Amino acid sequence: GQQLNQSPQSMFIQEGEDVSMNCTSSSIFNTWLWYKQDPGEGPVLLIALYKAGELTSNGRLTAQFGITRKDSFLNISASIPSDVGIYFCAGQLGGNTPLVFGKGTRLSVIA
Amino acid sequence: NAGVTQTPKFQVLKTGQSMTLQCAQDMNHNSMYWYRQDPGMGLRLIYYSASEGTTDKGEVPNGYNVSRLNKREFSLRLESAAPSQTSVYFCASSLQRRREAFFGQGTRLTVV
């Protein structure tokens, strides 16, 4: 199946630091989505991107749809303890094809 | 609104037993999905239903069957559970022409 390469696998950062993570693929995607999963919960949608080059913010979160349509990144500014969790990227090839997910980035914030 | 509701939340099965995981959504979504999540593997698609009356295999369908009972409900059945099916199972739904999927809280299944 399609593969999304998400990096880094895990991050340990100090509270207040900025965070950056990304996803890459060998295929061209029409949509990129970013989700967050808290322990014991299902993933929750953070940001959706639909156009190449699109830059979208949601509070302290900013995500971009790469111009090649093969990558996307997520930035978190001024991290806080509640940012802890697993962040997933997801992409859709087009039409009614289901989402493909990356393996996740586990974020730990040290107060 | 409840969104996507999964039952049960936890289940322990013995090898060879069968069970059905239930999923219902109240958002009038056309498409529904079943994923499994294993440590370090992300979310892998088991089966999906693009619209009522259709189902298709995903990346890891072996050992599972699904039923799209109506527009709201999509069940996942394990006919003969195996330890390799120990996982967290997530149901999700989306509008057919929009891509954002909304997830339930998951079913944590252990097969011993």
Side-chain angles (χ1 to χ4, degrees), chain A:
Chain A
Q2 294 294 331
Q3 295 287 331
L4 289 183
N5 300 308
Q6 187 171 351
S7 64
Q9 263 188 315
S10 61
M11 304 179 72
F12 289 84
I13 61 168
Q14 295 280 348
E15 184 177 356
E17 288 184 350
D18 296 343
V19 173
S20 184
M21 61 191 77
N22 68 80
C23 260
T24 61
S25 172
S26 57
S27 300
I28 292 174
F29 284 89
N30 284 349
T31 300
W32 284 97
L33 305 174
W34 286 91
Y35 287 83
K36 183 193 177 197
Q37 185 180 29
D38 291 324
E41 302 290 329
V44 174
L45 181 66
L46 298 173
I47 292 178
L49 303 160
Y50 296 105
K51 295 179 182 177
E54 182 179 354
L55 185 71
T56 297
S57 293
N58 178 5
R60 293 178 296 106
L61 279 62
T62 302
Q64 185 157 27
F65 193 140
I67 56 173
T68 66
R69 296 168 61 191
K70 293 183 177 182
D71 60 352
S72 179
F73 71 77
L74 175 70
N75 285 344
I76 305 173
S77 63
S79 59
I80 59 178
S82 62
D83 290 334
V84 165
I86 304 176
Y87 291 80
F88 290 100
C89 63
Q92 195 211 25
L93 292 168
N96 286 327
T97 58
L99 295 174
V100 178
F101 281 82
K103 293 184 178 181
T105 294
R106 184 179 295 273
L107 179 64
S108 300
V109 179
I110 304 166

Side-chain angles (χ1 to χ4, degrees), chain B residues 23-95:
Chain B
C23 175
Q25 52 89 12
D26 61 4
M27 297 177 283
N28 201 33
H29 285 172
N30 306 95
S31 302
M32 298 185 73
Y33 314 87
W34 278 104
Y35 290 89
R36 62 177 287 173
Q37 183 177 27
D38 302 294
M41 299 296 290
L43 291 155
R44 293 184 293 170
L45 184 65
I46 305 171
Y47 270 94
Y48 68 103
S49 171
S51 61
E52 190 178 353
T54 69
T55 60
D56 285 287
K57 295 179 180 179
E59 182 184 353
V60 287
N62 291 345
Y64 305 95
N65 286 302
V66 290
S67 294
R68 184 73 183 266
L69 303 170
N70 47 55
K71 190 172 185 179
R72 289 186 65 247
E73 298 172 287
F74 189 38
S75 63
L76 178 72
R77 183 161 178 84
L78 287 70
E79 290 290 353
S80 179
S84 61
Q85 294 177 305
T86 294
S87 188
V88 181
Y89 291 85
F90 287 100
C91 177
S93 69
S94 68
L95 283 172

